[in-house]
Amino acid sequence: MTTPQPLTARDDTRSKILDLAELLWLGRGFNGFSYQHISRELGVKNAAIHYHFPHKVDLGVELVRRYRRRLARYIEASAKLDARAQLERFFALSDAYFLNEQQICPSGSLSAEFHTLPDELKAEAALFVVDMRAWALAIVRQGREEGSLAAIGRDEETADILYAGLQGALQLARMAPDLLEHVKSALRVQLGITPGV
């Protein structure tokens, strides 16, 4: 077994750039921050950021790939749960973003700015949305097979209502904070989950 190597200063700077860029992106959108925002906050020169990510699109692509890796791990950790428990984990993602300074989730941010993104970033963003929709569909199908969730229509339609409902609620909750809870409650009812059961 190999012992993991400690992060080098270069790796640590790269991670810090990604972490800060993620916060800026989810709070302001991709077009709402620049390398200057990152360099000022980290106390480094723009050249240090360009060293790791020559162009902003390179940074954006790596952020989306990182989101996709995280999501894959999250889904994998949920795989042995029943459909209702997975549904609650699906809802928990929205809650986590909202409770962190009312951020919107990565797919919501990406879709809101989709037409202004560079092509390479659009391609990665589209894959991320595919991942999220696929997980919603897997939850709905498993729930139908278990008899624990009711479909609103075809499984694909139900999954899209689930995903789109949460995306919209998360964005609108910035102006109406109770909306996210209301939408989650409505989705539970539509999926046949009786409150308190």
Side-chain angles (χ1 to χ4, degrees):
M1 185 165 146
T2 325
T3 306
Q5 297 299 311
L7 286 177
T8 64
R10 182 183 304 162
D11 293 334
D12 189 44
T13 299
R14 187 176 193 279
S15 292
K16 287 179 180 176
I17 291 167
L18 285 168
D19 291 343
L20 181 57
E22 179 178 346
L23 288 174
L24 291 168
W25 191 343
L26 297 181
R28 302 176 179 198
F30 185 73
N31 296 314
F33 75 93
S34 68
Y35 277 14
Q36 277 190 318
H37 290 104
I38 298 170
S39 63
R40 192 171 36 237
E41 181 73 23
L42 292 182
V44 299
K45 295 186 181 201
N46 277 3
I49 301 168
H50 283 286
Y51 173 80
H52 295 283
F53 305 101
H55 305 283
K56 191 176 174 191
V57 66
D58 301 316
L59 175 61
V61 165
E62 182 52 35
L63 279 172
V64 177
R65 288 178 179 162
R66 187 166 84 156
Y67 293 144
R68 291 185 70 213
R69 289 189 298 270
R70 279 189 202 150
L71 179 63
R73 288 191 301 270
Y74 192 76
I75 293 170
E76 185 178 333
S78 307
K80 294 185 179 175
L81 300 174
D82 65 27
R84 285 191 182 184
Q86 286 198 50
L87 177 68
E88 293 306 319
R89 282 182 60 86
F90 195 88
F91 288 165
L93 286 176
S94 296
D95 293 338
Y97 286 111
F98 184 72
L99 294 172
N100 189 9
E101 299 182 21
Q102 296 185 341
Q103 294 175 337
I104 57 176
C105 77
S107 59
S109 176
L110 292 164
S111 61
E113 295 185 290
F114 191 75
H115 293 299
T116 65
L117 299 176
D119 288 342
E120 189 178 355
L121 188 49
K122 280 182 182 179
E124 287 296 325
L127 291 173
F128 188 71
V129 170
V130 165
D131 294 344
M132 288 295 295
R133 289 178 73 194
W135 187 31
L137 180 57
I139 292 169
V140 168
R141 282 188 174 151
Q142 181 179 338
R144 182 179 41 75
E145 290 166 7
E146 293 171 353
S148 60
L149 297 177
I152 300 163
R154 292 182 313 120
D155 289 348
E156 292 81 0
E157 294 165 345
T158 302
D160 284 344
I161 288 169
L162 171 61
Y163 178 50
L166 279 178
Q167 287 299 310
L170 188 54
Q171 291 185 35
L172 292 171
R174 287 178 160 183
M175 297 180 289
D178 58 343
L179 194 89
L180 185 58
E181 283 305 317
H182 290 173
V183 169
K184 289 188 305 182
S185 293
L187 286 168
R188 286 184 188 102
V189 169
Q190 287 184 337
L191 292 168
I193 300 173
T194 307
V197 175

